[in-house]
Amino acid sequence: MLPLGSQEQNIFGVDETAVLKTICRAVKSKGPICWGHGHNSKARLLTALYGYPQSQALPAPLSYSTATSEGMHTMDYLVDYVKYMNQVQIAHPYENVKNWYDTGLLVSVLTGSCAAAGISILTDSDGLGMLRDASIGHIISKLNQMITVEPYSTTRGVYNFWIGDGACRLNGGVELTMHLMESYKAKSMTTLFI
């Protein structure tokens, strides 16, 4: 317990808002917040502690030629694809391999199936933001950003967009995708699942 005031104030409490504002003002007066060991030192320190991520061999190409419909549901094939992308990311830890998901019913079933299978949905902070905000326009905007805006369009990567048919229809997803395919050339492999 910090001695924030008199003994009476410490027992009965202080105005948390006033304390927080005072702390924030003091921090802002020192300059921008950054990693405590200097600019760009975080990666160096974490690497020293945990080592470099080790690349592994690429997984065998994904094939369903021997799959039977017995015991396999449509969602299982999609979950297998997400699992395969996780293996690709592990094999090439420095490559961009990302999935972005719409928040509609069908795509929510997919993410739930991935969770039930115990595999990562392999997204990033933007993807988590899209899931949190549940805005059907975010994923279409992200698709447009990854194909048309530098440095994203000039960076190698594997990007998968999982979009429900409702979100795609409401946001012109197919039309936008056709326009992007005809008008732009990105260095990434981008797949749109509708």
Side-chain angles (χ1 to χ4, degrees):
M1 185 166 142
L2 294 173
L4 296 173
S6 66
Q7 187 174 9
E8 185 178 79
Q9 287 175 316
N10 285 334
I11 292 170
F12 293 111
V14 295
D15 183 359
E16 298 93 2
T17 305
V19 171
L20 185 59
K21 284 181 180 179
T22 303
I23 292 170
C24 288
R25 272 195 303 274
V27 169
K28 282 184 180 180
S29 71
K30 300 286 184 188
I33 297 173
C34 65
W35 181 254
H37 295 280
H39 184 66
N40 289 333
S41 62
K42 183 177 182 181
R44 179 179 49 79
L45 291 171
L46 291 177
T47 301
L49 285 172
Y50 300 108
Y52 292 96
Q54 297 297 314
S55 296
Q56 298 178 4
L58 275 172
L62 188 60
S63 172
Y64 293 110
S65 60
T66 60
T68 64
S69 60
E70 285 184 32
M72 287 285 280
H73 301 285
T74 306
M75 209 55 70
D76 295 333
Y77 294 103
L78 299 175
V79 170
D80 281 351
Y81 180 81
V82 174
K83 183 177 180 181
Y84 182 78
M85 287 292 103
N86 275 278
Q87 294 167 347
V88 169
Q89 180 66 71
I90 290 169
H92 289 280
Y94 297 105
E95 291 287 334
N96 290 312
V97 181
K98 301 267 187 311
N99 291 318
W100 288 289
Y101 301 90
D102 174 26
T103 54
L105 177 63
L106 191 58
V107 179
S108 294
V109 170
L110 170 66
T111 56
S113 298
C114 289
I119 60 171
S120 168
I121 60 173
L122 200 62
T123 194
D124 61 1
S125 58
D126 282 349
L128 293 175
M130 284 184 244
L131 291 172
R132 181 192 65 236
D133 294 342
S135 170
I136 58 178
H138 282 138
I139 194 160
I140 300 298
S141 298
K142 186 69 177 179
L143 171 64
N144 191 48
Q145 177 190 39
M146 297 309 291
I147 301 298
T148 63
V149 177
E150 286 190 29
Y152 308 112
S153 63
T154 57
T155 304
R156 279 181 39 155
V158 178
Y159 304 121
N160 300 300
F161 291 86
W162 302 85
I163 306 175
D165 61 334
C168 213
R169 268 185 276 123
L170 289 171
N171 290 285
V174 173
E175 294 85 355
L176 174 66
T177 303
M178 296 303 154
H179 166 70
L180 295 174
M181 287 171 55
E182 291 174 355
S183 305
Y184 296 92
K185 299 294 179 222
K187 286 196 172 188
S188 61
M189 182 183 101
T190 304
T191 308
L192 178 65
F193 294 90
I194 300 174

